Amino acid sequence: MLKKFKALLPKPPFKSAGYTSRPYPVNTKWLVREVTNEDIKALLAVEREVYHGKLPWTKSAFLSELISPLPHLYLCVENEDILAFGGCRIIGNDAHITNIAVHPKFQGAGIGTFLLEELETFARQHGCLTMSLEVRLSNRDAQRLYRKLGYVSRAIKPAYYDQTNEDALDMVKYIE
């Protein structure tokens, strides 16, 4: 019965950061745009591919970020489907990278770097002095990317990831 009425329920409000959609610089078939709540199912599909069937974030986690009163920006790169996404939330003078994922078929194409650079532009526009993130200790490729972009290690957070109980490396980039 609930399914019949689900379509009648109001959708959570989506707060736009004012990002102007544009073609991805390297491949004009791809579009970069802000994520909307209608994209969540596709974001979860990308997560499943990246994390081998596991979902670090739930639908409700994405929804709560998209309707957050804190300044935030969530972007996706898409062709017919979403290939990658990333987002950050501004807390004080820090832009915290909350989530970033690139479908395995498209990793190594510079999409992750591009998304991080776009998020850094957003952070600068909001007067942030730092950008921070957590990354799995086992994710050496992501750590290499973050270091290449100027992030440094701050600490290890034991048992940070709920599903796997894996430790996280806390990293920060000081914005000049």
Side-chain angles (χ1 to χ4, degrees):
M1 187 65 127
L2 180 61
K3 284 185 179 182
K4 288 182 181 180
F5 297 104
K6 201 172 187 180
L8 300 174
L9 295 174
K11 294 187 182 208
F14 169 68
K15 296 185 180 188
S16 173
Y19 185 83
T20 303
S21 297
R22 61 191 181 99
Y24 180 71
V26 178
N27 185 334
T28 58
K29 294 178 185 175
W30 298 349
L31 177 71
V32 181
R33 64 172 176 80
E34 269 190 85
V35 169
T36 68
N37 52 353
E38 286 81 23
D39 296 321
I40 293 174
K41 189 174 182 178
L43 302 182
L44 294 171
V46 171
E47 273 196 330
R48 272 190 199 89
E49 291 295 323
V50 170
Y51 296 105
H52 311 289
K54 294 185 170 90
L55 293 174
W57 275 37
T58 62
K59 180 180 179 179
S60 60
F62 280 111
L63 279 173
S64 69
E65 284 296 315
L66 293 177
I67 64 171
S68 171
L70 296 171
H72 60 275
L73 178 62
Y74 283 82
L75 298 174
C76 64
V77 177
E78 67 178 357
N79 52 17
E80 294 164 11
D81 298 314
I82 291 178
L83 318 171
F85 64 90
C88 72
R89 165 186 350 111
I90 308 292
I91 302 174
N93 59 7
D94 179 62
H96 185 74
I97 305 297
T98 56
N99 201 333
I100 187 161
V102 178
H103 192 287
K105 289 182 188 175
F106 300 96
Q107 290 177 0
I111 298 171
T113 298
F114 173 79
L115 287 170
L116 287 165
E117 288 170 348
E118 291 294 289
L119 296 173
E120 184 173 335
T121 298
F122 178 74
R124 287 177 189 279
Q125 291 168 346
H126 283 81
C128 292
L129 302 175
T130 59
M131 293 184 71
S132 62
L133 57 84
E134 292 85 21
V135 58
R136 293 174 192 279
L137 277 182
S138 63
N139 193 344
R140 301 280 188 217
D141 291 337
Q143 290 173 37
R144 271 191 291 280
L145 171 63
Y146 300 140
R147 284 193 176 92
K148 183 177 117 184
L149 295 174
Y151 288 80
V152 294
S153 301
R154 262 195 309 206
I156 292 178
K157 294 184 175 182
Y160 181 80
Y161 294 99
D162 291 337
Q163 286 183 341
T164 60
N165 215 28
E166 187 175 352
D167 296 346
L169 181 61
D170 180 31
M171 300 184 82
V172 65
K173 178 177 183 173
Y174 298 94
I175 301 174
E176 298 172 5

